[in-house]
Amino acid sequence: MMDVGRHPRIKLFVYSEVEDVSGYVGNFKVKVRKKARYVDENECNACAECAKICPVVVPDEFQMGFSSRKAIYIQLPQAVPSAYVLDMNACLGNNPIACGKCVEVCDKKCIDYDMQDQFIDLEVGAIIVASGMDVYDPTELDEFGYTRFDNVITSMEFERLICAGGPTTGHFIRLSDRETPKTIGFVQCVGSRSERRGNRYCSNICCMNTIKDTVLLKDHYPDIEVKVFYMDLRAFGKGFEDLLRRSRSEGVKYIRGIPGEIYEDSKTKNLILDVENTTTGEVEKHELDMLVLSVGVIPRQDGDLIQKLLTLSRTVDGFFMESHPKLKPVDAPTRGVFFAGCSESPKDVKDSVTQASASASRAGILLSSDRIKVEAITSVIDKDKCTSCGICYQACPFKAIVVDRKAKIPAEVIEAACAGCGTCGAECPFGAVTMKHFTDEQIFPQIDAILEENPQDKIVVFACNWCSYQGGDNAGMSRLQYPATGRIIRTMCSGRVDEQFILYAFSKGAPIVLVSGCHFADCHYIDANRWTQKRVEKLWDKLERKGIRPERLQLEWISAAEGQKFAKVMREIEEMRQKVTPEEIEHTKKVLSDWKPKGAKRRPKKAEVKIEA
Amino acid sequence: MAEEANFKCLRCGQEFKLPYDPKAGPQERTCPKCRSNSVRRIKEQKK
């Protein structure tokens, strides 16, 4: 961190928050709020005279509340810059009559009660999100007695107690009597891998953190008895298994079972654990001086704000989702934004540094060129047809469309920011948006071709490029059997599937139409498939009003790994197809005979479609 | 507690209740019987 602070080409904004982000790759505009610290960081030489005289004492957040700090303080010993900050919520001196002692004692005159927040506008080409993570609060898991029993602490609190820079200068004590414990237990997976409470995912770092802690304890206190209660030990990284062996060889006992209940001996404040040892199948009792809950990690609480500012998407676990898990693991779906560390998923220091290096390289590649190449699958707006209604702006997950509704200035696509999902094209009611590739002129002839002969025997399937189409591919590669009546039309995103494609297919005699896309949490275009669902729901109503069974329009979310599901869905829909009668198809064709494409968008006649070699 | 609404699976015909918040955006819904995503909310008839 010191190196970062000193680097001539790195500008560090500490005690600051990003207020707003606009623009797009290569041209981001970022507004930063530099919070008032009430101490001139350039003048302060951290002499600590102000803190010595400050009469206000509050719990020290960095030391997890185990020690105290003053109202004027340095957040942590290695803080960069090494300058004090005034906690105005705790300070008495906002009104100088009340206190003002720190101002009097500061020789450098660097304390200023009237300091205001500053807003700084930056222009940047790329953004790396390294917003970190929060730690699970185990208070809700009442059976572990956290906050009820003095000697139950979390792994984060353990770190402070064993740290040489901690409140006890590294002398490990238990909180009830300040004695060094003779027996200590660690409970793994607290708040992780649980369907009922906490989180479903594995927090990745807790097993190795505990193993490291046990080795540390044995180094400091060789006679201490250490027990680890676990479900599985996940020591899968380089050198991790060796560390586990070392821990075991030093006498640490690993017991496969999580305590069901913990009691406290009211006299000794010792803890009694009931544990089912799943290796022996017996219920055991363990008496410990101290218990450490190995808590999992959770996404940051302000993740919603960051997501909104940078138009990111998040997984069901709440961590930010990468553009592609294999091919673009550090890129965000928004071009020019990258991830580093636990904002993307729980990871250890090594993985965080690896990802940060990769992100820095990706950003470096981007910034080293004057121009960037983007895929040509972007949308184009016909300004003559555009009414500046703003629907495309609302639908665009990447905010790649600008429109001035009041001034009636037609919408415009920022091609560098457009990812080509096609949702704007599908949503535009005036046919003003056309796509480069996956055009209407390409999709309508595919529908025509599918339904040219024996349409009653075909199922028209719209599949998104990233998930459903790959799911079909997976089914084929896995040699899974499914009916051959399905005919797939690939689009980049299910958001591209225009209502008129579906109605046109029905008007041409399609018995069933299936729209399929990524699961909500997997959408490669942030939330474009939510628009698909909204559209399909509206169409179900529309079909019903026209006397067409809504069941004939099917919707399915299929991931690239779900070949089995793809095959199953195709089998089920084939059964449905066989129940669609010729009379029903004829009725649909009749009902939709007066159907016309929306707005001024014109469906090309077959003769007009030219295929160039 | 979240409100519930009636839904119908357009694959198997099963009717069931699921949490529903009209203010919330679209949700990925699955039929409890056949696991299909073709799940349609049954709107109450206006009196």
Side-chain angles (χ1 to χ4, degrees):
Chain A
M1 198 65 173
M2 294 290 281
D3 288 344
V4 171
R6 288 180 191 140
H7 199 285
R9 299 191 65 188
I10 298 175
K11 200 165 185 182
L12 195 60
F13 293 96
V14 295
Y15 210 52
S16 303
E17 281 178 8
V18 173
E19 285 276 312
D20 189 34
V21 179
S22 58
Y24 51 93
V25 56
N27 296 287
F28 288 114
K29 289 182 174 61
V30 182
K31 182 180 264 188
V32 178
R33 178 196 286 267
K34 194 171 190 314
K35 291 191 252 180
R37 61 192 296 149
Y38 305 100
V39 177
D40 186 338
E41 63 191 62
N42 298 317
E43 290 296 318
C44 178
N45 60 3
C47 66
E49 291 301 320
C50 53
K52 280 179 197 163
I53 202 156
C54 178
V56 181
V57 178
V58 291
D60 187 342
E61 299 88 349
F62 179 67
Q63 303 289 8
M64 308 296 290
F66 289 145
S67 65
S68 58
R69 63 166 173 85
K70 297 296 184 68
I72 190 162
Y73 68 111
I74 284 187
Q75 293 101 322
L76 64 157
Q78 296 83 21
V80 177
S82 183
Y84 275 71
V85 60
L86 187 58
D87 177 359
M88 204 43 97
N89 292 327
C91 178
L92 303 173
N94 203 11
N95 178 352
I97 298 165
C99 180
K101 288 179 179 172
C102 56
V103 178
E104 290 166 17
V105 81
C106 180
D107 290 339
K108 304 276 279 183
K109 303 293 175 205
C110 50
I111 299 170
D112 176 7
Y113 288 139
D114 298 325
M115 194 178 273
Q116 298 291 317
D117 289 0
Q118 283 180 293
F119 289 94
I120 301 161
D121 292 316
L122 301 171
E123 288 187 4
V124 300
I127 294 171
I128 297 176
V129 180
S131 48
M133 45 78 174
D134 282 335
V135 179
Y136 176 74
D137 179 358
T139 312
E140 67 170 340
L141 305 177
D142 194 52
E143 67 271 27
F144 294 135
Y146 180 67
T147 66
R148 276 195 296 131
F149 305 140
D150 291 344
N151 295 322
V152 177
I153 61 170
T154 67
S155 45
M156 288 296 283
E157 290 165 342
F158 175 90
E159 291 295 334
R160 297 320 309 153
L161 288 176
I162 199 84
C163 178
T168 57
T169 60
H171 298 292
F172 190 68
I173 56 166
R174 66 178 198 159
L175 302 181
S176 62
D177 53 13
R178 302 192 176 202
E179 294 291 323
T180 302
K182 293 182 178 64
T183 54
I184 182 167
F186 289 82
V187 179
Q188 295 306 106
C189 299
V190 175
S192 303
R193 302 179 66 201
S194 171
E195 292 286 339
R196 289 187 299 125
R197 289 175 301 170
N199 298 296
R200 295 182 348 164
Y201 54 85
C202 169
S203 289
N204 195 334
I205 56 174
C206 327
C207 284
M208 290 318 299
N209 186 53
T210 294
I211 294 167
K212 181 264 293 176
D213 287 343
T214 61
V215 172
L216 204 60
L217 271 173
K218 280 288 185 183
D219 281 350
H220 285 46
Y221 308 98
D223 296 332
I224 199 166
E225 190 182 353
V226 185
K227 295 174 181 175
V228 178
F229 302 93
Y230 69 98
M231 284 196 271
D232 296 302
L233 280 174
R234 297 186 168 181
F236 53 83
K238 186 180 178 184
F240 289 3
E241 193 66 30
D242 290 341
L243 194 70
L244 175 59
R245 278 201 202 102
R246 184 178 151 195
S247 169
R248 281 191 160 127
S249 69
E250 289 181 7
V252 177
K253 288 178 187 163
Y254 286 85
I255 298 152
R256 194 163 178 270
I258 299 292
E261 189 117 35
I262 296 166
Y263 312 93
E264 187 189 57
D265 185 320
S266 56
K267 285 183 185 171
T268 61
K269 297 287 179 185
N270 283 355
L271 302 157
I272 297 128
L273 282 66
D274 286 338
V275 185
E276 184 193 357
N277 186 330
T278 55
T279 309
T280 62
E282 289 175 3
V283 177
E284 299 173 357
K285 266 197 193 307
H286 296 267
E287 185 167 346
L288 303 168
D289 292 345
M290 202 168 185
L291 189 68
V292 181
L293 304 179
S294 190
V295 287
V297 300
I298 56 171
R300 272 184 66 102
Q301 299 299 307
D302 56 3
D304 287 341
L305 180 66
I306 300 168
Q307 180 183 11
K308 201 173 165 188
L309 284 174
L310 296 169
T311 57
L312 304 174
S313 64
R314 296 164 85 179
T315 62
V316 282
D317 300 331
F319 294 97
F320 293 124
M321 196 169 82
E322 65 278 22
S323 182
H324 192 283
K326 291 173 189 165
L327 303 177
K328 287 186 174 179
V330 301
D331 293 44
T334 303
R335 205 172 279 139
V337 180
F338 306 94
F339 297 121
C342 293
S343 61
E344 185 259 330
S345 66
K347 54 177 72 70
D348 62 10
V349 175
K350 184 185 171 184
D351 285 353
S352 296
V353 171
T354 306
Q355 195 181 29
S357 305
S359 288
S361 301
R362 296 281 293 159
I365 292 165
L366 195 65
L367 299 181
S368 63
S369 55
D370 296 333
R371 289 166 177 267
I372 60 160
K373 280 185 185 174
V374 296
E375 283 199 63
I377 312 167
T378 54
S379 55
V380 182
I381 290 169
D382 184 337
K383 291 188 178 177
D384 295 333
K385 292 179 185 170
C386 178
T387 62
S388 316
C389 67
I391 290 175
C392 55
Y393 167 79
Q394 287 171 0
C396 179
F398 299 91
K399 300 289 170 235
I401 295 177
V402 284
V403 62
D404 192 335
R405 292 176 65 186
K406 282 184 185 168
K408 288 278 176 191
I409 296 171
E412 196 172 346
V413 176
I414 303 162
E415 286 197 69
C418 176
C421 63
T423 309
C424 54
E427 285 297 320
C428 177
F430 304 103
V433 184
T434 51
M435 303 300 299
K436 294 179 185 172
H437 301 290
F438 299 96
T439 61
D440 290 3
E441 287 72 18
Q442 289 171 321
I443 293 171
F444 278 119
Q446 289 183 66
I447 299 170
D448 280 332
I450 289 170
L451 302 171
E452 195 166 17
E453 289 178 17
N454 304 322
Q456 71 282 0
D457 296 337
K458 310 282 173 54
I459 299 167
V460 178
V461 181
F462 291 98
C464 80
N465 176 65
W466 302 102
C467 286
S468 302
Y469 193 80
Q470 305 302 330
D473 199 28
N474 185 315
M477 295 285 280
S478 309
R479 303 281 188 271
L480 299 173
Q481 295 289 314
Y482 63 88
T485 44
R487 296 288 186 277
I488 300 177
I489 297 172
R490 184 172 67 101
T491 56
M492 288 308 285
C493 176
S494 60
R496 173 72 185 105
V497 183
D498 199 320
E499 172 187 304
Q500 62 177 345
F501 300 157
I502 297 165
L503 292 176
Y504 182 65
F506 281 130
S507 76
K508 285 285 173 179
I512 300 268
V513 175
L514 168 65
V515 178
S516 59
C518 307
H519 288 283
F520 272 25
D522 298 341
C523 183
H524 285 65
Y525 301 99
I526 302 174
D527 62 354
N529 58 359
R530 274 74 163 173
W531 288 88
T532 314
Q533 173 142 332
K534 277 197 237 176
R535 203 176 302 135
V536 168
E537 284 173 357
K538 277 185 195 166
L539 255 175
W540 281 331
D541 295 344
K542 198 172 192 173
L543 292 173
E544 195 169 55
R545 283 198 299 273
K546 286 179 181 291
I548 301 166
R549 278 194 302 130
E551 285 83 355
R552 290 173 59 194
L553 172 59
Q554 290 284 308
L555 177 70
E556 203 65 46
W557 310 121
I558 303 171
S559 82
E562 291 179 322
Q564 293 270 10
K565 183 177 181 182
F566 183 88
K568 175 180 169 278
V569 167
M570 293 311 296
R571 284 194 294 271
E572 287 172 355
I573 292 179
E574 170 58 12
E575 279 180 29
M576 294 178 78
R577 185 198 65 77
Q578 290 173 9
K579 289 175 187 165
V580 180
T581 60
E583 293 77 27
E584 201 176 352
I585 293 171
E586 282 308 311
H587 172 258
T588 305
K589 284 166 79 172
K590 197 175 167 187
V591 167
L592 296 175
S593 61
D594 60 344
W595 171 81
K596 287 189 180 68
K598 67 185 176 184
K601 198 183 273 186
R602 193 169 59 91
R603 177 171 53 82
K605 288 175 186 169
K606 275 177 79 177
E608 287 180 10
V609 178
K610 290 175 186 172
I611 299 170
E612 291 178 16
Chain B
M1 195 176 160
E3 281 182 38
E4 287 194 329
N6 292 313
F7 289 85
K8 184 184 178 187
C9 174
L10 297 185
R11 184 80 49 83
C12 67
Q14 176 84 355
E15 290 192 13
F16 47 90
K17 281 182 187 287
L18 284 176
Y20 176 71
D21 178 1
K23 289 177 189 169
Q27 303 287 314
E28 185 173 329
R29 295 196 172 88
T30 307
C31 169
K33 187 181 170 192
C34 71
R35 314 305 299 164
S36 159
N37 300 124
S38 296
V39 173
R40 186 184 181 208
R41 186 167 71 87
I42 303 170
K43 292 170 188 164
E44 286 177 21
Q45 296 290 322
K46 285 180 185 173
K47 289 178 183 175

